[in-house]
Amino acid sequence: MSSLIVLAYDIADDRRRRRAARLCEQRMLRVQESVFEAWLTPAELRRILASLQDEIDPRADQVRTYTLALRDFARRRVLGKMPQAVPDPDYYLV
């Protein structure tokens, strides 16, 4: 079962940051410059984190993930332009 994951990074080097962004964009929606959201299974999250681990310098960079409950997602507040919605493959709105 998938969960809504928020991934944020602070990567010091431009080259590593571009590589990390490309990895995240393959499966996640960029909602800020260094913040991504996606509905992921635990296996998908592990694969993304393993790929990012190979790209970052753990002495200078940091990647964080947060799992949001659906009720928490509904309570979020966004000021400014919203990116496209994060589709949940288990739920459909008609």
Side-chain angles (χ1 to χ4, degrees), residues 1-4 27 38-41 44 86-93:
M1 176 154 213
S2 63
S3 299
L4 181 62
R27 182 60 186 87
W39 290 93
L40 300 173
T41 65
E44 290 171 322
V86 179
D88 177 358
D90 296 327
Y91 298 93
Y92 297 95
L93 297 176

Side-chain angles (χ1 to χ4, degrees), residues 8-74:
Y9 58 67
D10 183 9
I11 298 176
D13 179 73
D14 289 342
R15 184 173 182 220
R16 290 194 310 270
R17 192 169 42 252
R18 281 191 302 272
R19 286 181 180 174
R22 279 194 296 270
L23 283 169
C24 292
E25 287 172 336
Q26 290 176 4
R27 182 60 186 87
M28 304 183 83
L29 173 68
R30 185 190 291 252
V31 295
Q32 292 284 313
E33 284 297 318
S34 60
V35 181
F36 296 81
E37 293 178 354
W39 290 93
L40 300 173
T41 65
E44 290 171 322
L45 178 57
R46 280 193 300 274
R47 281 193 296 272
I48 290 170
L49 291 176
S51 296
L52 288 170
Q53 183 67 44
D54 293 340
E55 296 297 334
I56 70 166
D57 176 353
R59 297 166 300 176
D61 305 330
Q62 187 178 90
V63 176
R64 291 177 177 238
T65 61
Y66 302 92
T67 303
L68 294 183
L70 191 55
R71 70 180 178 278
D72 295 328
F73 180 71

